[in-house]
Amino acid sequence: MEERAELKIKIKEAASQMFMQQGFKDFRIQQLTNQVGISLGGFYTFYKDKEALYEEILRDEKNRIRKKILTIIEKENQAPKDFFADLAHVLLDKTATNKFYTNEYSSLLESLVWNDDPITAEDNLYFIQQIRQIWANKGIVISASNEELAAAVATLAILCTHKEKIGVGFDSWYPVIEKSLLARL
């Protein structure tokens, strides 16, 4: 049983690196199985298809990122405006360098910030509530509602994801939009 769990971790770690570098569309199960040293049948004992593998990796990564964010907020005395500005800049960097964040199938960024389905919206609001509670325990009050905070983060993420489509005006307008969105905090 322990060997099986270790193999699943090995599959997910290798697949995660491949998804980051290649994206979902160019990912090949055969390439993964060759790299991990298992048969195609071995892969299918763990996952129905590459979509199921990808979705599990997204969930794991989303949970890891959220836990890391909560730990950072808990340990640092960073004001909400500064934190959300830093988060937006990290997203901007990640969308430029990691295909996991901007994948054509389903991206990590979508999973973290989009509020277009009830489960994701509920997860996002719960996460915002956790952040708000940590700040409240430190005596920091945020004037924006949970829904407004979630929408501000999603708006910043949309801008970061579509930087290339926006074009050369992005660099001059992004700081203005970011400042305007974060002014509500």
Side-chain angles (χ1 to χ4, degrees), residues 35-146:
Q35 183 176 334
V36 175
I38 61 171
S39 68
L40 275 174
F43 170 84
Y44 289 111
T45 64
F46 290 99
Y47 299 99
K48 181 178 95 173
D49 51 28
K50 78 176 180 178
E51 289 85 357
L53 170 62
Y54 188 81
E55 293 296 331
E56 185 172 320
I57 292 171
L58 278 181
R59 275 191 308 279
D60 291 351
E61 188 65 9
K62 178 173 68 172
N63 291 334
R64 184 193 69 76
I65 289 169
R66 286 187 169 165
K67 185 176 180 179
K68 183 177 180 179
I69 288 170
L70 292 172
T71 300
I72 290 169
I73 292 172
E74 185 74 50
K75 291 183 178 184
E76 295 181 11
N77 282 328
Q78 194 175 34
K81 285 182 188 179
D82 296 332
F83 170 77
F84 284 110
D86 287 351
L87 179 62
H89 291 272
V90 167
L91 291 175
L92 190 56
D93 177 58
K94 293 292 186 183
T95 58
T97 60
N98 185 332
K99 290 188 179 191
F100 225 179
Y101 282 81
T102 57
N103 205 302
E104 62 281 351
Y105 170 68
S106 175
S107 76
L108 180 58
L109 196 55
E110 289 175 2
S111 179
L112 280 168
V113 300
W114 279 199
N115 300 305
D116 60 349
D117 76 82
I119 293 171
T120 302
E122 187 176 310
D123 285 349
N124 289 343
L125 287 177
Y126 177 69
F127 180 62
I128 294 293
Q129 289 168 346
Q130 290 176 299
I131 291 172
R132 184 187 293 278
Q133 186 59 52
I134 292 170
W135 276 319
N137 292 343
K138 294 179 178 206
I140 300 170
V141 178
I142 301 172
S143 62
S145 70
N146 293 337

